[in-house]
Amino acid sequence: MHDLTAKPVLCSGQLYLLHLETIHLLLVLCSTQLYSTSASAPSGTHPFIDALMQQQSLAAPVVQVALQHYSSRPPLPPSLQLWSPAPDADDRGMLKLVRSAAASVLWLPFRAYTFLIRLGFAQSDSSSPLADLSLLLLLALVNHSPQPTPLHPPPVRPQHQNPYRAAMQALQDSEDVGIDAESGQGRSAPGACAVPFSKLYGALGAGLTREPSVLLLYVLLHKCHRFQQYVLVRSDADTIVVPLLHRLYNTSYKTPSQLYMLLIIILILSQDKGFCQNIQEVTLTSVAWYKERLLQRTTLGSLLVVVLLRTAHTNMSKLRDVYMHQNTLAALANLAPHMSGISSHAAQRLVSLFDMLSRRYQRIGKRSSSGTLDGGTPLGTPHLNLTPLASPGQLAAEHAVYADFMRTVLEIINTIITTGLRHNPEMVYALLHRQDVFEPFRMHAQFADILDNIQIVVDSFNLKMDSAQHREGWSGSVTDVLGVIKEHLSSWQQDRLSKPEELRFTYEEEGTPEDFFVPYIWSLIVSSTSIPWNLHAVALFQPVTSGHDTTCADDDTASAHFQDADSTSKPNELHV
């Protein structure tokens, strides 16, 4: 550990290699976590991790150097070549895992030596192996959560005993904590961890194509208040939001864990009103990766809404994950009061989402007596090991879940029209175009109150359309209809609508976040490193191997080879 903090910037090939192998060794020594069925364990179960947790004086320097490596991404020196396991290497473990802590201590030195032997030769696929390995080690250390022992119960939650997490929480911007008179560089408080936030922000924007970077962004936003505030006030929010949306757009190629993290990051950002307003001012000239519609001169806010709605549609038709739907709608609800100039595509998608939810709501209501679902699985069940059969009690629960989702979508629409109708003519057009979707629920006990404002808007503009039909040259085209809408929006009296209570959602980690994060992070370590792990002995999660290959060149599919041992673990709760 002292060697890692000695020189944060490396030029020598030998020093670069020394740091790489030091991190490899630390990961192997910490890998007892892989062979435990629990994400947290009493003190003594993982002796090397426990020893690292006791190095409180080194925590801040280690976090700082790891973040500096990540920000600068020092390349592999040209004179250096790295060894990695050959494709035909024997992937059988040298030893069968003995699950007791005593046996782990006995055999770990030999396992560490075995793991660090390179069995073949290959060039590294990474532009900066040191940056990537530093990040993996940092994530493993920050997310470790030891359990208290009966003899030494902690005064606070065990996670607060982690000095690396504490160092991350206290992270400072070295460009904003003062300037040293002699060097002209940023000066941090004594003992504090400080890095240039501007470089870290830029590195995150460039690195969000890699899954560990997404996890780092989450940790920084959730754990480090200073960095969160720095991100929220940046005027170039597209630096991180566009890469996040690009990853979220490729929903079909993501595991649930990957999607959860993307949605949670967006939810955290959407909690800030300034951020929600700022993204309405950022204009994107084009979005090449969005294939359903040609998006030109669209705002970042509109793109965010479109991708979230697309995610909701995909989840409804394929994944059917309640947790994912809750987070998607929560982010949309936070954005709703600030939506301005929403595109026709986004407006139509929003109304279509209500239509999809309502049709399934009605279908469940009709079939509740038979105890089965027509053409799909219950939304409230886990997304793995599903059965198309459901009892009447399950169907009743499903009915209630869909009703809640429908009401949330209606509240989102209601918020848009009561706070910014004049700035959203496309929303009015979408309501007029699909007004039949709302008709069956006008007198429904659960939806009638929230449909009042929508009906007032629809009735008012229906009258305007009836009058406009008598105009000379009226053709009823989209252009004609939008022209009438914009004409009358300029004189629209907002007080005609009742002001609903603002619906806002906040993110909060569950009581045991390690149950989600620890298996997730270690699955990334196993899939991203060249260490020949004994996959047959892994107990923390269920590895899925393909021949001898335990790594993935394509980051989008790297974690798809691993399934959490507890697939129902979720990282957070929503609070209204």
Side-chain angles (χ1 to χ4, degrees), residues 259-452:
L259 294 173
Y260 293 158
M261 292 313 307
L262 295 170
L263 290 171
I264 288 171
I265 290 172
I266 292 172
L267 176 59
I268 292 174
L269 294 173
S270 73
Q271 292 172 187
D272 185 77
K273 294 182 178 181
F275 172 84
C276 295
Q277 294 169 351
N278 177 37
I279 59 176
Q280 307 299 330
E281 307 298 327
V282 178
T283 301
L284 306 174
T285 55
S286 63
V287 186
W289 45 262
Y290 194 87
K291 304 301 182 184
E292 285 85 347
R293 184 76 64 90
L294 181 62
L295 299 180
Q296 291 183 327
R297 303 295 300 174
T298 187
T299 65
L300 181 59
S302 189
L303 176 63
L304 177 54
V305 172
V306 166
V307 175
L308 286 173
L309 288 170
R310 183 182 182 276
T311 302
H313 278 265
T314 302
N315 182 46
M316 288 296 303
S317 60
K318 296 179 181 179
L319 303 176
R320 308 180 65 78
D321 187 302
V322 172
Y323 175 81
M324 193 180 304
H325 214 64
Q326 288 173 339
N327 281 275
T328 303
L329 293 182
L332 285 168
N334 289 346
L335 292 168
H338 313 282
M339 290 184 189
S340 178
I342 187 172
S343 67
S344 61
H345 187 42
Q348 294 289 349
R349 280 257 185 189
L350 183 56
V351 177
S352 295
L353 178 59
F354 178 81
D355 183 32
M356 179 183 291
L357 289 167
S358 65
R359 284 187 281 110
R360 297 197 176 180
Y361 172 83
Q362 291 172 312
R363 186 186 308 150
I364 295 172
K366 292 177 181 178
R367 299 184 60 86
S368 59
S369 59
S370 65
T372 60
L373 279 176
D374 183 19
T377 53
L379 182 67
T381 58
H383 47 74
L384 299 175
N385 304 320
L386 296 173
T387 171
L389 300 178
S391 67
Q394 288 176 315
L395 287 173
E398 289 299 304
H399 208 233
V401 168
Y402 276 103
D404 288 342
F405 287 159
M406 288 170 61
R407 187 168 180 86
T408 302
V409 173
L410 288 176
E411 288 175 333
I412 293 170
I413 296 174
N414 206 18
T415 300
I416 294 173
I417 64 176
T418 55
T419 58
L421 188 66
R422 291 183 180 180
H423 307 292
N424 292 291
E426 294 290 356
M427 190 73 249
V428 178
Y429 182 91
L431 293 177
L432 293 177
H433 182 61
R434 300 294 304 279
Q435 57 187 284
D436 58 299
V437 169
F438 306 102
E439 187 63 32
F441 304 98
R442 287 185 59 183
M443 306 303 295
H444 197 289
Q446 288 185 272
F447 310 113
D449 61 326
I450 202 167
L451 276 169
D452 286 343

Side-chain angles (χ1 to χ4, degrees), residues 5-31:
T5 61
K7 293 189 176 183
V9 180
L10 304 174
C11 298
S12 165
Q14 295 302 318
L15 282 176
Y16 196 103
L17 184 60
L18 176 62
H19 276 227
L20 277 179
E21 292 308 308
T22 301
I23 296 173
H24 272 129
L25 176 60
L26 288 171
L27 287 174
V28 171
L29 294 177
C30 293
S31 66

